Amino acid sequence: MSDRTVMGIRACIASLEKIIGPVVAQSEDSLAKEQLTLMTRYLDQVTQRLDYARDYTRVELQQYVKMARDIVSASVQYNIACNTLTEVLSAAESGLANPKIRTRELEDASIGLRAIISQITRGIRYATPEFRARIESIVLNQSAVLVDLKRAWCKPQGWESNSPDVPDLEALIARHSA
Amino acid sequence: MNYIASPAFDKLPEPDTFYPAQPGRAPQWRDNPSDRDIEIIRRAYPVEDEFDLILSRKMKRRNSGTYRLPTLDEMSACVRAFLSANIEGEFSISNEAWLTGGASKIQFGFTLQWCAPERGHSVDKLVVRMEPSESLNATSRRREFQVIRAIADTVPVPQTFWMDPEGEWFPEPAIVYGFIPGTAKPTMDRARVSGIGTQFGPELRARLGPQFVRHLAAIHTFDWRQADLSSFNKPALGTTEASLWQLNRARRVWEEDRGEDLPLVEHVANWLQDNMPVLDHASVLHGDYRAGNFLFNEINCEITGWLDWERCYIGDRHRDLAWATTPLFGSTAEDGKTFLVSGLVPEQQFYEEYQKISGLEIDPQRLHYFRVLNAYQSMVGPIGSSYRVVRLGKSHQDIVLAILEGAAYPNANELLKLLREKY
């Protein structure tokens, strides 16, 4: 049975533009007119991105797994225990290795890693300068990839329409997929 | 609130206890914070008194349900009741309408016929400005009213009439000010979002650019000590108070609103805390000084008024300078390479003229600091606050805020570049 979700959303857009839009255009409600335009644009962006949703979620998790692995490595090197991070990382790695895992579960694994890594990052101010510098370097470097993923995802919104260096989503996913 | 106990590090000393986000459709404590939750966050991030009130109010009302925009009739009734309490004599209102524009405020326009003090019979076009129950930027109408009134003889601003700082008459705290004629963007650039890469063209630039610089210098050299700015905390010179209040405000908002944890945001907060500049000169700051927030007359090319003073505070001028020169708000000249600050003035020229007119120096290191702070704030709002507002249906513009998340990532990209620069 073929998925008709994107087709259905496009039908919503058509309805908004061709049936509802003309009626709203005749009204004096400028807020309604503005929001109708925003809605159709947003739904159009969703149709452009829906096919990539699972791959995006997987690649994002892979980046957080990389970040976590590097932090664990650094912790071992500096002889600092990180049991909680190791546990959360292990669960995330199992999730990635499971071909049947649902997209929602991939997201939850990302959420778990983000939480513990964020907590570590917040508290790293109290660590030794060398260890702190190491962890911060890992967070910054890996965050650059994650920011690129988000920029690529949001590209259809046009925030960076004058910027030539916004990455292509498909190319990014291909490059960072394991 | 869940606290992650990590044996990896020593227990984090207050205020750094970490309360992870709980994304997902299930209820989250941030949707319905207890008094204890609110108090823990208040103590962790001391801010200016007025912002403490505003943010605490936001949190206490968080579980009050979704927002409904008042109908025109309801709003008209509010206006009538408010005016009855504030005007002597007969009056009438007409031409009531919701105004568009802006991601965080609601504006209602109307025409008032009345007997104005010192003017007699008058017909004034007025605007009621307020927030929905939660917005992208939780700010104070009292502060906005005070600063616009204080700065009125220094730069063109709307005329302020009344305020309802506690939301006694209106659904939310509100100010009433005069409508200013003019446009935010030139006719030839209508299709673009106001304030983002506006193309003014050489002729308009030549006329508006000098005003843009002159007005900023005037705001920063305004003697606020003589003005009624009672809702503003005054930072001490030679301290980092001003910077800390702003950093804490953003950190507190992140703590109160976010739906996801981001290691990059935590890293930047640390950097900002470690590098706070000492205040050398306390200026009134507009807080959102850029194209899109002034109106101008397209015929005589005069700026008719500066709007959106909600993010104003007293602090370091470099904050406004860094904001005004943000790449997102600028554009490139016809030569394809010269960056124009807010689409108006080449960057180097902007700095030179500002320093000459104001007599205040620009310190590249502090400029850099505030670029990082601005980029940080520009992530906290679109990623953190917009999530909570849309999730709980707290505004009349949820769709705008849902889309606004995308604006955070060019800022994040800029942030990464800034953090790699060495000073």
Side-chain angles (χ1 to χ4, degrees):
Chain A
M1 188 175 75
S2 57
D3 177 50
R4 299 185 181 185
T5 307
V6 171
M7 199 169 75
I9 296 174
R10 292 217 170 102
C12 289
I13 295 171
S15 170
L16 286 168
E17 287 179 336
K18 294 176 187 168
I19 307 297
I20 298 169
V23 175
V24 172
Q26 287 174 23
S27 81
E28 290 180 1
D29 193 329
S30 48
L31 197 60
K33 289 180 201 171
E34 184 182 75
Q35 292 202 8
L36 181 63
T37 304
L38 291 172
M39 278 172 61
T40 54
R41 275 194 210 154
Y42 190 81
L43 288 172
D44 182 57
Q45 286 152 21
V46 170
T47 62
Q48 292 183 47
R49 288 293 180 251
L50 211 52
D51 282 344
Y52 299 101
R54 182 177 169 86
D55 286 339
Y56 179 94
T57 305
R58 170 172 277 275
V59 167
E60 187 183 56
L61 175 58
Q62 284 166 344
Q63 301 314 307
Y64 280 111
V65 162
K66 267 190 204 166
M67 196 187 282
R69 281 179 184 155
D70 288 349
I71 292 174
V72 168
S73 243
S75 302
V76 166
Q77 210 177 339
Y78 283 84
N79 203 25
I80 292 177
C82 52
N83 300 330
T84 306
L85 176 60
T86 306
E87 280 170 27
V88 176
L89 172 59
S90 176
E93 285 169 329
S94 299
L96 277 175
N98 176 5
K100 293 184 185 169
I101 190 168
R102 291 161 50 213
T103 307
R104 170 68 60 185
E105 290 169 312
L106 287 171
E107 281 176 17
D108 286 346
S110 261
I111 287 162
L113 275 177
R114 274 193 249 157
I116 185 66
I117 295 173
S118 293
Q119 189 212 14
I120 288 169
T121 310
R122 187 181 289 195
I124 206 70
R125 295 183 72 230
Y126 306 101
T128 63
E130 300 80 13
F131 185 56
R132 175 179 174 178
R134 179 76 183 275
I135 298 300
E136 288 181 338
S137 172
I138 292 167
V139 167
L140 264 187
N141 289 339
Q142 213 51 45
S143 292
V145 179
L146 291 159
V147 166
D148 270 354
L149 274 172
K150 274 290 188 185
R151 290 171 70 209
W153 182 267
C154 296
K155 191 173 176 179
Q157 292 181 3
W159 296 105
E160 296 187 84
S161 53
N162 292 333
S163 176
D165 71 340
V166 182
D168 175 74
L169 183 65
E170 210 164 322
L172 258 189
I173 288 174
R175 193 186 323 150
H176 292 290
S177 292
Chain B
M1 294 161 91
N2 297 327
Y3 162 56
I4 294 180
S6 166
F9 302 91
D10 290 337
K11 182 170 162 39
L12 297 176
E14 297 286 343
D16 293 296
T17 308
F18 190 83
Y19 303 100
Q22 301 158 290
R25 298 186 187 104
Q28 305 172 9
W29 70 262
R30 285 178 171 94
D31 292 339
N32 185 14
S34 66
D35 288 344
R36 182 176 172 273
D37 298 334
I38 296 170
E39 187 60 22
I40 286 174
I41 298 174
R42 279 191 71 231
R43 288 200 189 165
Y45 304 110
V47 295
E48 289 185 75
D49 298 331
E50 183 72 5
F51 273 108
D52 185 29
L53 283 175
I54 296 298
L55 293 174
S56 299
R57 179 177 182 270
K58 173 193 79 176
M59 291 295 271
K60 285 173 184 162
R61 298 170 72 218
R62 185 150 271 176
N63 67 349
S64 60
T66 58
Y67 179 72
R68 181 182 68 82
L69 186 70
T71 63
L72 269 182
D73 286 344
E74 286 168 340
M75 197 60 191
S76 295
C78 289
V79 168
R80 286 193 174 83
F82 177 77
L83 291 175
S84 293
N86 286 277
I87 287 178
E88 285 190 19
E90 301 281 316
F91 68 87
S92 68
I93 70 170
S94 59
N95 302 323
E96 301 101 298
W98 291 112
L99 307 177
T100 57
S104 63
K105 298 294 167 286
I106 304 173
Q107 305 202 106
F108 177 84
F110 66 99
T111 302
L112 171 66
Q113 287 200 54
W114 62 313
C115 185
E118 297 173 14
R119 285 193 288 142
H121 178 75
S122 301
V123 178
D124 290 304
K125 284 183 72 175
L126 300 178
V127 178
V128 180
R129 178 172 159 87
M130 58 188 187
E131 288 180 9
S133 61
E134 276 193 50
S135 77
L136 188 68
N137 303 305
T139 53
S140 164
R141 302 285 71 71
R142 182 183 280 111
R143 276 168 75 110
E144 202 172 2
F145 186 88
Q146 283 186 344
V147 77
I148 294 175
R149 189 157 271 205
I151 209 97
D153 292 335
T154 302
V155 292
V157 289
Q159 182 184 356
T160 47
F161 283 77
W162 305 280
M163 67 167 164
D164 177 21
E166 307 299 333
E168 192 186 339
W169 301 97
F170 292 103
E172 301 290 330
I175 61 174
V176 183
Y177 64 85
F179 186 87
I180 301 183
T183 180
K185 51 189 174 182
T187 307
M188 66 179 185
D189 209 35
R190 279 274 176 262
R192 200 183 300 267
V193 171
S194 172
I196 307 291
T198 310
Q199 298 286 346
F200 287 95
E203 229 176 271
L204 262 182
R205 285 206 303 267
R207 302 288 300 278
L208 292 175
Q211 295 173 69
F212 185 81
V213 183
R214 194 169 67 244
H215 289 172
L216 185 61
I219 292 167
H220 289 172
T221 52
F222 168 70
D223 184 5
W224 49 265
R225 288 165 186 81
Q226 311 301 323
D228 175 12
L229 294 174
S230 57
S231 61
F232 290 71
N233 286 43
K234 282 62 169 195
L237 296 183
T239 74
T240 55
E241 260 183 344
S243 300
L244 183 61
W245 289 334
Q246 296 312 307
L247 172 58
N248 276 350
R249 178 157 68 101
R251 287 171 68 176
R252 178 168 166 176
V253 166
W254 183 246
E255 202 63 52
E256 291 174 345
D257 294 353
R258 75 179 187 273
E260 60 185 294
D261 303 309
L262 286 175
L264 176 61
V265 171
E266 301 301 333
H267 171 78
V268 178
N270 285 347
W271 187 95
L272 286 166
Q273 177 127 19
D274 289 341
N275 290 280
M276 286 187 292
V278 167
L279 187 64
D280 67 337
H281 176 95
S283 297
V284 163
L285 307 177
H286 179 279
D288 195 4
Y289 196 88
R290 59 175 174 88
N293 280 338
F294 67 82
L295 299 180
F296 65 96
N297 181 316
E298 239 179 327
I299 297 172
N300 69 10
C301 305
E302 291 288 314
I303 290 179
T304 52
W306 280 94
L307 309 173
D308 286 353
W309 290 80
E310 55 171 333
R311 298 180 71 107
C312 62
Y313 66 97
I314 296 174
D316 193 316
R317 63 193 173 281
H318 292 84
R319 200 296 177 166
D320 267 355
L321 290 163
W323 188 259
T325 55
T326 299
L328 187 67
F329 303 145
S331 60
T332 308
E334 291 77 12
D335 63 6
K337 50 184 182 169
T338 304
F339 173 69
L340 299 171
V341 171
S342 268
L344 288 169
V345 186
E347 191 170 3
Q348 203 48 45
Q349 183 184 331
F350 172 79
Y351 295 138
E352 285 166 6
E353 284 179 14
Y354 172 86
Q355 290 181 108
K356 191 170 155 193
I357 297 169
S358 68
L360 297 168
E361 278 183 20
I362 295 178
D363 172 5
Q365 192 165 1
R366 274 187 282 161
L367 199 60
H368 180 257
Y369 177 88
F370 284 100
R371 289 200 197 292
V372 176
L373 176 65
N374 290 342
Y376 173 74
Q377 289 178 321
S378 300
M379 287 181 70
V380 162
I383 298 176
S385 300
S386 70
Y387 171 87
R388 196 61 52 188
V389 172
V390 175
R391 175 183 165 85
L392 299 177
K394 288 294 199 177
S395 86
H396 63 305
Q397 297 221 83
D398 291 353
I399 180 66
V400 173
L401 293 173
I403 292 169
L404 213 54
E405 185 219 345
Y409 304 111
N411 285 310
N413 191 44
E414 186 62 23
L415 198 52
L416 289 167
K417 290 181 200 169
L418 287 168
L419 290 172
R420 291 189 182 109
E421 292 175 17
K422 296 286 182 201
Y423 278 87

